[in-house]
Short mmCIF file of all heavy atoms in Angstrom, two decimals:
data_model
loop_
_atom_site.label_atom_id
_atom_site.label_comp_id
_atom_site.label_asym_id
_atom_site.label_seq_id
_atom_site.Cartn_x
_atom_site.Cartn_y
_atom_site.Cartn_z
N MET A 276 65.29 -42.54 -33.74
CA MET A 276 63.97 -42.11 -33.35
C MET A 276 63.77 -40.63 -33.68
O MET A 276 64.67 -39.83 -33.57
CB MET A 276 63.77 -42.35 -31.86
CG MET A 276 62.43 -41.92 -31.37
SD MET A 276 62.23 -42.41 -29.65
CE MET A 276 60.55 -41.95 -29.46
N PHE A 277 62.58 -40.29 -34.09
CA PHE A 277 62.22 -38.92 -34.47
C PHE A 277 61.90 -38.12 -33.22
O PHE A 277 61.02 -38.47 -32.46
CB PHE A 277 61.01 -38.98 -35.41
CG PHE A 277 60.57 -37.65 -35.92
CD1 PHE A 277 61.32 -36.97 -36.84
CD2 PHE A 277 59.39 -37.09 -35.48
CE1 PHE A 277 60.91 -35.75 -37.33
CE2 PHE A 277 58.96 -35.87 -35.95
CZ PHE A 277 59.72 -35.20 -36.88
N ARG A 278 62.63 -37.03 -32.98
CA ARG A 278 62.40 -36.18 -31.81
C ARG A 278 62.14 -34.75 -32.25
O ARG A 278 62.83 -34.22 -33.10
CB ARG A 278 63.59 -36.20 -30.88
CG ARG A 278 63.77 -37.54 -30.23
CD ARG A 278 64.91 -37.49 -29.25
NE ARG A 278 65.07 -38.82 -28.71
CZ ARG A 278 65.04 -39.08 -27.43
NH1 ARG A 278 64.88 -38.13 -26.56
NH2 ARG A 278 65.19 -40.31 -27.01
N LEU A 279 61.14 -34.14 -31.63
CA LEU A 279 60.80 -32.76 -31.92
C LEU A 279 61.50 -31.81 -30.95
O LEU A 279 61.70 -32.15 -29.79
CB LEU A 279 59.29 -32.54 -31.78
CG LEU A 279 58.41 -33.21 -32.81
CD1 LEU A 279 56.95 -33.01 -32.42
CD2 LEU A 279 58.67 -32.65 -34.18
N PRO A 280 61.83 -30.60 -31.41
CA PRO A 280 62.35 -29.59 -30.50
C PRO A 280 61.28 -29.19 -29.47
O PRO A 280 60.09 -29.45 -29.67
CB PRO A 280 62.66 -28.40 -31.42
CG PRO A 280 62.69 -28.95 -32.78
CD PRO A 280 61.82 -30.16 -32.78
N LYS A 281 61.69 -28.55 -28.39
CA LYS A 281 60.76 -28.17 -27.33
C LYS A 281 59.60 -27.30 -27.81
O LYS A 281 58.49 -27.43 -27.33
CB LYS A 281 61.50 -27.42 -26.22
CG LYS A 281 62.28 -28.31 -25.31
CD LYS A 281 62.71 -27.56 -24.09
CE LYS A 281 64.04 -26.89 -24.34
NZ LYS A 281 64.59 -26.27 -23.12
N GLN A 282 59.84 -26.39 -28.76
CA GLN A 282 58.80 -25.46 -29.21
C GLN A 282 57.80 -26.10 -30.16
O GLN A 282 56.77 -25.52 -30.47
CB GLN A 282 59.41 -24.25 -29.92
CG GLN A 282 60.41 -23.51 -29.14
CD GLN A 282 61.83 -23.94 -29.47
OE1 GLN A 282 62.09 -25.10 -29.76
NE2 GLN A 282 62.75 -23.01 -29.42
N ALA A 283 58.08 -27.28 -30.67
CA ALA A 283 57.23 -27.92 -31.67
C ALA A 283 56.16 -28.80 -31.03
O ALA A 283 56.37 -29.38 -29.98
CB ALA A 283 58.09 -28.75 -32.62
N ARG A 284 55.03 -28.90 -31.71
CA ARG A 284 53.92 -29.76 -31.28
C ARG A 284 53.40 -30.51 -32.50
O ARG A 284 53.55 -30.06 -33.63
CB ARG A 284 52.78 -28.93 -30.69
CG ARG A 284 53.15 -28.12 -29.47
CD ARG A 284 53.38 -29.01 -28.25
NE ARG A 284 53.79 -28.24 -27.10
CZ ARG A 284 55.05 -28.08 -26.70
NH1 ARG A 284 56.02 -28.64 -27.36
NH2 ARG A 284 55.35 -27.37 -25.64
N VAL A 285 52.73 -31.63 -32.26
CA VAL A 285 52.09 -32.39 -33.33
C VAL A 285 50.59 -32.27 -33.14
O VAL A 285 50.08 -32.50 -32.05
CB VAL A 285 52.53 -33.87 -33.32
CG1 VAL A 285 51.80 -34.66 -34.39
CG2 VAL A 285 54.03 -33.98 -33.51
N THR A 286 49.87 -31.91 -34.21
CA THR A 286 48.43 -31.77 -34.15
C THR A 286 47.76 -33.14 -34.19
O THR A 286 48.41 -34.15 -34.49
CB THR A 286 47.90 -30.92 -35.33
OG1 THR A 286 48.11 -31.65 -36.54
CG2 THR A 286 48.58 -29.57 -35.40
N ALA A 287 46.46 -33.17 -33.95
CA ALA A 287 45.70 -34.42 -34.01
C ALA A 287 45.76 -35.04 -35.41
O ALA A 287 45.62 -36.25 -35.58
CB ALA A 287 44.26 -34.17 -33.60
N GLN A 288 45.97 -34.22 -36.44
CA GLN A 288 46.07 -34.71 -37.82
C GLN A 288 47.48 -35.17 -38.17
O GLN A 288 47.74 -35.57 -39.30
CB GLN A 288 45.63 -33.62 -38.81
CG GLN A 288 44.19 -33.22 -38.69
CD GLN A 288 43.95 -32.23 -37.55
OE1 GLN A 288 44.86 -31.53 -37.10
NE2 GLN A 288 42.73 -32.18 -37.07
N GLY A 289 48.41 -35.09 -37.21
CA GLY A 289 49.77 -35.56 -37.44
C GLY A 289 50.69 -34.53 -38.07
O GLY A 289 51.76 -34.88 -38.55
N ARG A 290 50.30 -33.28 -38.07
CA ARG A 290 51.15 -32.23 -38.64
C ARG A 290 51.92 -31.52 -37.54
O ARG A 290 51.44 -31.37 -36.43
CB ARG A 290 50.29 -31.25 -39.42
CG ARG A 290 49.67 -31.93 -40.62
CD ARG A 290 48.75 -31.02 -41.38
NE ARG A 290 48.22 -31.72 -42.52
CZ ARG A 290 47.02 -32.30 -42.55
NH1 ARG A 290 46.25 -32.26 -41.49
NH2 ARG A 290 46.60 -32.92 -43.62
N VAL A 291 53.11 -31.07 -37.88
CA VAL A 291 53.96 -30.37 -36.92
C VAL A 291 53.64 -28.89 -36.95
O VAL A 291 53.45 -28.30 -38.02
CB VAL A 291 55.45 -30.58 -37.28
CG1 VAL A 291 56.35 -29.76 -36.37
CG2 VAL A 291 55.81 -32.05 -37.21
N THR A 292 53.59 -28.27 -35.79
CA THR A 292 53.43 -26.83 -35.70
C THR A 292 54.53 -26.28 -34.80
O THR A 292 54.81 -26.85 -33.74
CB THR A 292 52.03 -26.42 -35.20
OG1 THR A 292 51.95 -25.01 -35.12
CG2 THR A 292 51.70 -27.02 -33.86
N ALA A 293 55.18 -25.22 -35.26
CA ALA A 293 56.30 -24.63 -34.53
C ALA A 293 56.62 -23.28 -35.16
O ALA A 293 56.16 -22.98 -36.27
CB ALA A 293 57.52 -25.53 -34.59
N PRO A 294 57.43 -22.45 -34.50
CA PRO A 294 57.87 -21.22 -35.13
C PRO A 294 58.65 -21.52 -36.42
O PRO A 294 59.27 -22.58 -36.56
CB PRO A 294 58.79 -20.58 -34.08
CG PRO A 294 58.35 -21.18 -32.79
CD PRO A 294 57.91 -22.57 -33.12
N HIS A 295 58.63 -20.58 -37.35
CA HIS A 295 59.25 -20.74 -38.66
C HIS A 295 60.70 -21.22 -38.56
O HIS A 295 61.09 -22.18 -39.23
CB HIS A 295 59.17 -19.43 -39.45
CG HIS A 295 59.85 -19.47 -40.77
ND1 HIS A 295 59.31 -20.12 -41.85
CD2 HIS A 295 61.04 -18.98 -41.18
CE1 HIS A 295 60.13 -20.00 -42.88
NE2 HIS A 295 61.18 -19.31 -42.50
N GLU A 296 61.50 -20.56 -37.73
CA GLU A 296 62.92 -20.92 -37.66
C GLU A 296 63.13 -22.34 -37.12
O GLU A 296 64.10 -23.00 -37.47
CB GLU A 296 63.72 -19.91 -36.83
CG GLU A 296 63.29 -19.76 -35.39
CD GLU A 296 62.12 -18.82 -35.16
OE1 GLU A 296 61.60 -18.20 -36.11
OE2 GLU A 296 61.71 -18.69 -34.00
N VAL A 297 62.20 -22.83 -36.33
CA VAL A 297 62.30 -24.20 -35.81
C VAL A 297 61.93 -25.21 -36.90
O VAL A 297 62.61 -26.22 -37.08
CB VAL A 297 61.40 -24.39 -34.56
CG1 VAL A 297 61.37 -25.83 -34.11
CG2 VAL A 297 61.87 -23.48 -33.44
N ILE A 298 60.88 -24.93 -37.66
CA ILE A 298 60.46 -25.82 -38.76
C ILE A 298 61.63 -26.05 -39.71
O ILE A 298 61.87 -27.17 -40.17
CB ILE A 298 59.27 -25.21 -39.55
CG1 ILE A 298 58.03 -25.14 -38.69
CG2 ILE A 298 59.02 -25.96 -40.85
CD1 ILE A 298 57.29 -26.43 -38.49
N ARG A 299 62.37 -25.00 -40.02
CA ARG A 299 63.47 -25.09 -40.99
C ARG A 299 64.72 -25.77 -40.46
O ARG A 299 65.58 -26.16 -41.23
CB ARG A 299 63.84 -23.68 -41.48
CG ARG A 299 62.77 -23.03 -42.30
CD ARG A 299 62.47 -23.85 -43.51
NE ARG A 299 61.88 -23.05 -44.55
CZ ARG A 299 61.62 -23.51 -45.75
NH1 ARG A 299 61.90 -24.75 -46.06
NH2 ARG A 299 61.06 -22.76 -46.64
N THR A 300 64.86 -25.95 -39.13
CA THR A 300 66.12 -26.46 -38.59
C THR A 300 66.11 -27.93 -38.19
O THR A 300 67.15 -28.47 -37.90
CB THR A 300 66.56 -25.64 -37.35
OG1 THR A 300 65.52 -25.69 -36.37
CG2 THR A 300 66.86 -24.21 -37.72
N PHE A 301 64.95 -28.59 -38.15
CA PHE A 301 64.98 -30.00 -37.77
C PHE A 301 64.49 -30.90 -38.90
O PHE A 301 63.95 -30.44 -39.89
CB PHE A 301 64.24 -30.26 -36.45
CG PHE A 301 62.74 -30.11 -36.50
CD1 PHE A 301 61.93 -31.20 -36.73
CD2 PHE A 301 62.15 -28.88 -36.25
CE1 PHE A 301 60.56 -31.07 -36.75
CE2 PHE A 301 60.77 -28.74 -36.25
CZ PHE A 301 59.98 -29.83 -36.51
N SER A 302 64.71 -32.20 -38.76
CA SER A 302 64.33 -33.16 -39.79
C SER A 302 62.84 -33.49 -39.72
O SER A 302 62.26 -33.52 -38.64
CB SER A 302 65.13 -34.45 -39.62
OG SER A 302 66.49 -34.21 -39.85
N HIS A 303 62.26 -33.77 -40.87
CA HIS A 303 60.84 -34.09 -40.97
C HIS A 303 60.67 -35.46 -41.63
O HIS A 303 61.56 -35.93 -42.35
CB HIS A 303 60.11 -33.04 -41.81
CG HIS A 303 60.07 -31.71 -41.16
ND1 HIS A 303 59.06 -31.31 -40.33
CD2 HIS A 303 60.94 -30.67 -41.22
CE1 HIS A 303 59.29 -30.08 -39.91
NE2 HIS A 303 60.43 -29.67 -40.43
N HIS A 304 59.52 -36.05 -41.40
CA HIS A 304 59.17 -37.34 -42.00
C HIS A 304 57.76 -37.22 -42.55
O HIS A 304 56.85 -36.83 -41.84
CB HIS A 304 59.25 -38.45 -40.95
CG HIS A 304 58.75 -39.76 -41.46
ND1 HIS A 304 57.61 -40.34 -40.99
CD2 HIS A 304 59.24 -40.58 -42.41
CE1 HIS A 304 57.42 -41.48 -41.63
NE2 HIS A 304 58.40 -41.65 -42.48
N CYS A 305 57.57 -37.56 -43.82
CA CYS A 305 56.24 -37.53 -44.44
C CYS A 305 55.58 -38.88 -44.21
O CYS A 305 56.09 -39.92 -44.65
CB CYS A 305 56.34 -37.23 -45.93
SG CYS A 305 54.73 -37.23 -46.76
N ARG A 306 54.44 -38.87 -43.54
CA ARG A 306 53.75 -40.14 -43.26
C ARG A 306 53.01 -40.68 -44.48
O ARG A 306 52.53 -41.80 -44.47
CB ARG A 306 52.79 -39.96 -42.09
CG ARG A 306 51.68 -39.00 -42.35
CD ARG A 306 50.87 -38.76 -41.09
NE ARG A 306 49.74 -37.91 -41.40
CZ ARG A 306 48.58 -38.02 -40.84
NH1 ARG A 306 48.37 -38.94 -39.94
NH2 ARG A 306 47.60 -37.21 -41.17
N TYR A 307 52.93 -39.92 -45.56
CA TYR A 307 52.23 -40.36 -46.77
C TYR A 307 53.16 -41.11 -47.74
O TYR A 307 52.81 -42.16 -48.23
CB TYR A 307 51.60 -39.17 -47.48
CG TYR A 307 50.56 -38.49 -46.63
CD1 TYR A 307 50.87 -37.35 -45.91
CD2 TYR A 307 49.27 -39.01 -46.52
CE1 TYR A 307 49.91 -36.74 -45.10
CE2 TYR A 307 48.32 -38.42 -45.72
CZ TYR A 307 48.65 -37.27 -45.01
OH TYR A 307 47.71 -36.68 -44.21
N CYS A 308 54.36 -40.55 -47.99
CA CYS A 308 55.24 -41.19 -48.97
C CYS A 308 56.53 -41.72 -48.36
O CYS A 308 57.30 -42.40 -49.03
CB CYS A 308 55.57 -40.22 -50.10
SG CYS A 308 56.69 -38.87 -49.63
N GLY A 309 56.81 -41.37 -47.08
CA GLY A 309 58.01 -41.87 -46.43
C GLY A 309 59.22 -40.98 -46.56
O GLY A 309 60.29 -41.30 -46.03
N TRP A 310 59.11 -39.85 -47.27
CA TRP A 310 60.24 -38.94 -47.41
C TRP A 310 60.75 -38.52 -46.04
O TRP A 310 59.99 -38.31 -45.12
CB TRP A 310 59.81 -37.71 -48.22
CG TRP A 310 60.86 -36.63 -48.27
CD1 TRP A 310 61.89 -36.54 -49.15
CD2 TRP A 310 60.97 -35.50 -47.40
NE1 TRP A 310 62.64 -35.43 -48.88
CE2 TRP A 310 62.09 -34.78 -47.80
CE3 TRP A 310 60.24 -35.04 -46.31
CZ2 TRP A 310 62.51 -33.60 -47.18
CZ3 TRP A 310 60.66 -33.88 -45.68
CH2 TRP A 310 61.78 -33.17 -46.10
N ARG A 311 62.07 -38.41 -45.92
CA ARG A 311 62.71 -37.89 -44.72
C ARG A 311 63.75 -36.88 -45.15
O ARG A 311 64.49 -37.13 -46.11
CB ARG A 311 63.42 -39.00 -43.94
CG ARG A 311 62.49 -39.97 -43.28
CD ARG A 311 63.28 -41.05 -42.54
NE ARG A 311 62.40 -42.07 -42.02
CZ ARG A 311 61.82 -42.02 -40.82
NH1 ARG A 311 62.02 -40.99 -40.04
NH2 ARG A 311 61.02 -42.99 -40.42
N GLY A 312 63.81 -35.77 -44.44
CA GLY A 312 64.80 -34.78 -44.80
C GLY A 312 64.72 -33.54 -43.93
O GLY A 312 63.83 -33.41 -43.08
N PRO A 313 65.65 -32.62 -44.14
CA PRO A 313 65.70 -31.40 -43.35
C PRO A 313 64.57 -30.44 -43.72
O PRO A 313 64.08 -30.44 -44.85
CB PRO A 313 67.06 -30.81 -43.69
CG PRO A 313 67.35 -31.32 -45.06
CD PRO A 313 66.72 -32.69 -45.12
N GLY A 314 64.21 -29.61 -42.76
CA GLY A 314 63.14 -28.64 -42.98
C GLY A 314 63.41 -27.65 -44.10
O GLY A 314 62.48 -27.15 -44.71
N VAL A 315 64.67 -27.39 -44.39
CA VAL A 315 64.98 -26.45 -45.47
C VAL A 315 64.54 -26.99 -46.83
O VAL A 315 64.40 -26.23 -47.78
CB VAL A 315 66.47 -26.06 -45.51
CG1 VAL A 315 66.86 -25.29 -44.26
CG2 VAL A 315 67.36 -27.27 -45.69
N GLU A 316 64.30 -28.30 -46.93
CA GLU A 316 63.84 -28.89 -48.20
C GLU A 316 62.32 -28.88 -48.36
O GLU A 316 61.81 -29.18 -49.44
CB GLU A 316 64.35 -30.32 -48.32
CG GLU A 316 65.84 -30.40 -48.51
CD GLU A 316 66.34 -31.81 -48.72
OE1 GLU A 316 65.52 -32.73 -48.93
OE2 GLU A 316 67.56 -32.00 -48.68
N LEU A 317 61.59 -28.54 -47.29
CA LEU A 317 60.13 -28.47 -47.40
C LEU A 317 59.71 -27.35 -48.35
O LEU A 317 60.37 -26.32 -48.43
CB LEU A 317 59.50 -28.20 -46.03
CG LEU A 317 59.63 -29.30 -44.99
CD1 LEU A 317 59.06 -28.81 -43.66
CD2 LEU A 317 58.93 -30.56 -45.44
N GLU A 318 58.62 -27.57 -49.07
CA GLU A 318 58.08 -26.54 -49.95
C GLU A 318 57.20 -25.59 -49.14
O GLU A 318 56.41 -26.03 -48.32
CB GLU A 318 57.21 -27.17 -51.04
CG GLU A 318 57.97 -28.04 -51.99
CD GLU A 318 57.05 -28.67 -53.02
OE1 GLU A 318 55.81 -28.61 -52.87
OE2 GLU A 318 57.58 -29.22 -53.99
N THR A 319 57.35 -24.31 -49.39
CA THR A 319 56.45 -23.33 -48.78
C THR A 319 55.21 -23.30 -49.65
O THR A 319 55.26 -22.95 -50.82
CB THR A 319 57.10 -21.93 -48.73
OG1 THR A 319 58.32 -22.03 -48.01
CG2 THR A 319 56.20 -20.93 -48.05
N ALA A 320 54.09 -23.71 -49.08
CA ALA A 320 52.88 -23.88 -49.87
C ALA A 320 52.01 -22.64 -49.87
O ALA A 320 51.68 -22.12 -50.93
CB ALA A 320 52.09 -25.07 -49.34
N GLU A 321 51.63 -22.17 -48.71
CA GLU A 321 50.72 -21.03 -48.64
C GLU A 321 51.08 -20.20 -47.42
O GLU A 321 51.42 -20.72 -46.37
CB GLU A 321 49.29 -21.53 -48.51
CG GLU A 321 48.26 -20.44 -48.57
CD GLU A 321 46.84 -20.99 -48.57
OE1 GLU A 321 46.63 -22.21 -48.59
OE2 GLU A 321 45.93 -20.16 -48.54
N THR A 322 50.99 -18.89 -47.59
CA THR A 322 51.20 -17.96 -46.48
C THR A 322 49.90 -17.23 -46.22
O THR A 322 49.33 -16.62 -47.11
CB THR A 322 52.31 -16.94 -46.82
OG1 THR A 322 53.50 -17.67 -47.13
CG2 THR A 322 52.56 -16.01 -45.66
N HIS A 323 49.42 -17.33 -45.00
CA HIS A 323 48.18 -16.66 -44.60
C HIS A 323 48.56 -15.31 -43.99
O HIS A 323 49.04 -15.27 -42.86
CB HIS A 323 47.41 -17.52 -43.60
CG HIS A 323 47.18 -18.92 -44.11
ND1 HIS A 323 46.10 -19.25 -44.87
CD2 HIS A 323 47.91 -20.05 -43.97
CE1 HIS A 323 46.15 -20.54 -45.17
NE2 HIS A 323 47.25 -21.04 -44.64
N GLU A 324 48.38 -14.26 -44.74
CA GLU A 324 48.87 -12.94 -44.34
C GLU A 324 48.26 -12.42 -43.04
O GLU A 324 48.95 -11.84 -42.21
CB GLU A 324 48.67 -11.95 -45.46
CG GLU A 324 49.56 -12.24 -46.66
CD GLU A 324 49.36 -11.25 -47.78
OE1 GLU A 324 48.90 -10.13 -47.50
OE2 GLU A 324 49.68 -11.60 -48.92
N ARG A 325 46.99 -12.62 -42.83
CA ARG A 325 46.35 -12.08 -41.63
C ARG A 325 46.83 -12.75 -40.36
O ARG A 325 46.95 -12.12 -39.31
CB ARG A 325 44.84 -12.20 -41.74
CG ARG A 325 44.28 -11.27 -42.81
CD ARG A 325 42.81 -11.28 -42.78
NE ARG A 325 42.39 -10.53 -41.59
CZ ARG A 325 41.17 -10.13 -41.36
NH1 ARG A 325 40.23 -10.42 -42.23
NH2 ARG A 325 40.86 -9.47 -40.28
N SER A 326 47.11 -14.03 -40.42
CA SER A 326 47.53 -14.76 -39.23
C SER A 326 49.03 -15.04 -39.18
O SER A 326 49.54 -15.54 -38.19
CB SER A 326 46.78 -16.08 -39.14
OG SER A 326 47.11 -16.89 -40.25
N SER A 327 49.75 -14.76 -40.27
CA SER A 327 51.20 -15.04 -40.39
C SER A 327 51.53 -16.52 -40.32
O SER A 327 52.63 -16.91 -39.97
CB SER A 327 51.99 -14.28 -39.33
OG SER A 327 51.81 -12.90 -39.48
N ILE A 328 50.57 -17.37 -40.64
CA ILE A 328 50.82 -18.82 -40.67
C ILE A 328 51.34 -19.21 -42.06
O ILE A 328 50.83 -18.75 -43.07
CB ILE A 328 49.53 -19.61 -40.34
CG1 ILE A 328 49.15 -19.36 -38.88
CG2 ILE A 328 49.70 -21.09 -40.62
CD1 ILE A 328 47.84 -19.98 -38.48
N VAL A 329 52.36 -20.07 -42.07
CA VAL A 329 52.94 -20.57 -43.31
C VAL A 329 52.76 -22.08 -43.33
O VAL A 329 53.09 -22.76 -42.36
CB VAL A 329 54.44 -20.21 -43.42
CG1 VAL A 329 55.03 -20.76 -44.70
CG2 VAL A 329 54.64 -18.70 -43.33
N ASP A 330 52.24 -22.62 -44.43
CA ASP A 330 52.07 -24.06 -44.62
C ASP A 330 53.28 -24.62 -45.36
O ASP A 330 53.78 -24.00 -46.29
CB ASP A 330 50.82 -24.37 -45.45
CG ASP A 330 49.54 -23.94 -44.77
OD1 ASP A 330 49.53 -23.76 -43.55
OD2 ASP A 330 48.53 -23.79 -45.49
N TYR A 331 53.72 -25.81 -44.95
CA TYR A 331 54.85 -26.48 -45.59
C TYR A 331 54.41 -27.85 -46.10
O TYR A 331 53.73 -28.58 -45.39
CB TYR A 331 56.00 -26.67 -44.60
CG TYR A 331 56.56 -25.37 -44.10
CD1 TYR A 331 56.11 -24.82 -42.91
CD2 TYR A 331 57.52 -24.69 -44.83
CE1 TYR A 331 56.62 -23.61 -42.45
CE2 TYR A 331 58.02 -23.48 -44.39
CZ TYR A 331 57.57 -22.95 -43.19
OH TYR A 331 58.07 -21.77 -42.75
N HIS A 332 54.82 -28.17 -47.33
CA HIS A 332 54.46 -29.44 -47.95
C HIS A 332 55.70 -30.29 -48.20
O HIS A 332 56.80 -29.77 -48.35
CB HIS A 332 53.76 -29.19 -49.28
CG HIS A 332 52.38 -28.65 -49.12
ND1 HIS A 332 51.51 -28.56 -50.16
CD2 HIS A 332 51.71 -28.18 -48.04
CE1 HIS A 332 50.36 -28.06 -49.74
NE2 HIS A 332 50.47 -27.81 -48.45
N CYS A 333 55.48 -31.59 -48.32
CA CYS A 333 56.53 -32.55 -48.65
C CYS A 333 57.06 -32.25 -50.05
O CYS A 333 56.26 -32.06 -50.98
CB CYS A 333 55.94 -33.96 -48.60
SG CYS A 333 57.06 -35.24 -49.18
N PRO A 334 58.38 -32.25 -50.25
CA PRO A 334 58.93 -31.98 -51.59
C PRO A 334 58.71 -33.13 -52.57
O PRO A 334 58.81 -32.95 -53.78
CB PRO A 334 60.42 -31.76 -51.33
CG PRO A 334 60.69 -32.45 -50.05
CD PRO A 334 59.43 -32.39 -49.25
N GLU A 335 58.36 -34.33 -52.08
CA GLU A 335 58.14 -35.48 -52.95
C GLU A 335 56.68 -35.63 -53.37
O GLU A 335 56.38 -35.71 -54.55
CB GLU A 335 58.60 -36.76 -52.24
CG GLU A 335 60.09 -36.82 -51.99
CD GLU A 335 60.90 -36.92 -53.27
OE1 GLU A 335 60.47 -37.64 -54.20
OE2 GLU A 335 61.96 -36.28 -53.34
N CYS A 336 55.76 -35.69 -52.41
CA CYS A 336 54.35 -35.97 -52.74
C CYS A 336 53.44 -34.75 -52.54
O CYS A 336 52.26 -34.83 -52.84
CB CYS A 336 53.83 -37.15 -51.91
SG CYS A 336 53.62 -36.79 -50.16
N HIS A 337 53.99 -33.67 -52.02
CA HIS A 337 53.28 -32.40 -51.85
C HIS A 337 52.15 -32.43 -50.82
O HIS A 337 51.27 -31.59 -50.83
CB HIS A 337 52.77 -31.87 -53.20
CG HIS A 337 53.83 -31.89 -54.25
ND1 HIS A 337 54.91 -31.04 -54.23
CD2 HIS A 337 54.00 -32.69 -55.32
CE1 HIS A 337 55.69 -31.31 -55.26
NE2 HIS A 337 55.17 -32.31 -55.93
N GLU A 338 52.19 -33.40 -49.91
CA GLU A 338 51.22 -33.43 -48.81
C GLU A 338 51.64 -32.43 -47.75
O GLU A 338 52.81 -32.14 -47.57
CB GLU A 338 51.15 -34.83 -48.19
CG GLU A 338 50.38 -35.82 -49.00
CD GLU A 338 48.90 -35.53 -49.09
OE1 GLU A 338 48.33 -34.95 -48.15
OE2 GLU A 338 48.31 -35.89 -50.12
N TRP A 339 50.65 -31.91 -47.03
CA TRP A 339 50.88 -30.93 -45.99
C TRP A 339 51.55 -31.60 -44.79
O TRP A 339 51.02 -32.53 -44.20
CB TRP A 339 49.55 -30.32 -45.60
CG TRP A 339 49.56 -29.23 -44.60
CD1 TRP A 339 50.60 -28.38 -44.33
CD2 TRP A 339 48.50 -28.82 -43.77
NE1 TRP A 339 50.24 -27.48 -43.37
CE2 TRP A 339 48.93 -27.73 -42.99
CE3 TRP A 339 47.20 -29.29 -43.57
CZ2 TRP A 339 48.14 -27.10 -42.08
CZ3 TRP A 339 46.42 -28.65 -42.65
CH2 TRP A 339 46.87 -27.57 -41.91
N ILE A 340 52.75 -31.13 -44.41
CA ILE A 340 53.51 -31.73 -43.32
C ILE A 340 53.51 -30.86 -42.07
O ILE A 340 53.42 -31.36 -40.96
CB ILE A 340 54.97 -31.97 -43.75
CG1 ILE A 340 55.04 -33.11 -44.76
CG2 ILE A 340 55.87 -32.30 -42.55
CD1 ILE A 340 56.44 -33.45 -45.20
N ALA A 341 53.64 -29.55 -42.25
CA ALA A 341 53.83 -28.68 -41.10
C ALA A 341 53.28 -27.29 -41.37
O ALA A 341 52.98 -26.94 -42.52
CB ALA A 341 55.32 -28.58 -40.77
N PHE A 342 53.14 -26.52 -40.28
CA PHE A 342 52.84 -25.11 -40.43
C PHE A 342 53.49 -24.34 -39.30
O PHE A 342 53.75 -24.88 -38.22
CB PHE A 342 51.33 -24.84 -40.50
CG PHE A 342 50.53 -25.27 -39.30
CD1 PHE A 342 50.22 -24.37 -38.29
CD2 PHE A 342 50.06 -26.56 -39.18
CE1 PHE A 342 49.48 -24.76 -37.20
CE2 PHE A 342 49.31 -26.97 -38.09
CZ PHE A 342 49.01 -26.05 -37.10
N SER A 343 53.83 -23.09 -39.58
CA SER A 343 54.50 -22.26 -38.59
C SER A 343 53.75 -20.95 -38.39
O SER A 343 52.90 -20.58 -39.20
CB SER A 343 55.93 -21.97 -39.02
OG SER A 343 55.93 -21.13 -40.16
N TRP A 344 54.07 -20.28 -37.33
CA TRP A 344 53.47 -18.98 -37.05
C TRP A 344 54.54 -17.95 -36.89
O TRP A 344 55.69 -18.23 -36.75
CB TRP A 344 52.59 -19.04 -35.80
CG TRP A 344 53.34 -19.38 -34.56
CD1 TRP A 344 53.95 -18.51 -33.71
CD2 TRP A 344 53.57 -20.68 -34.02
NE1 TRP A 344 54.55 -19.17 -32.69
CE2 TRP A 344 54.33 -20.51 -32.84
CE3 TRP A 344 53.22 -21.96 -34.39
CZ2 TRP A 344 54.74 -21.58 -32.06
CZ3 TRP A 344 53.64 -23.01 -33.61
CH2 TRP A 344 54.38 -22.82 -32.46
#
């Protein structure tokens, strides 16, 4: 079963939000293509400099999976 760390939350759109170090340390599952793997394999897609939010995409299908602050 997929379990999130205490600091992580799932948005209404099904994306994970958590601090950067948490995103990188737990396993993720892409609901679009089925990919499963560690957070270190996620692609860093976009960094929003003003808010310090980082978007992470699936390494297989490039769908947005998570974001951190």
Side-chain angles (χ1 to χ4, degrees):
M276 179 174 186
F277 182 72
R278 292 184 182 236
L279 291 174
K281 282 193 271 187
Q282 305 96 326
R284 299 289 178 262
V285 177
T286 67
Q288 296 81 22
R290 294 177 179 97
V291 175
T292 179
H295 176 75
E296 61 276 359
V297 174
I298 294 283
R299 293 300 203 174
T300 58
F301 70 93
S302 294
H303 294 269
H304 174 247
C305 178
R306 64 187 185 145
Y307 297 99
C308 72
W310 172 86
R311 290 179 186 272
V315 295
E316 291 184 11
L317 293 175
E318 295 179 348
T319 303
E321 186 175 356
T322 303
H323 307 272
E324 292 180 23
R325 291 187 74 168
S326 63
S327 299
I328 293 175
V329 179
D330 296 340
Y331 297 95
H332 288 191
C333 173
E335 295 293 321
C336 70
H337 311 290
E338 284 292 330
W339 184 25
I340 289 182
F342 61 96
S343 68
W344 62 89

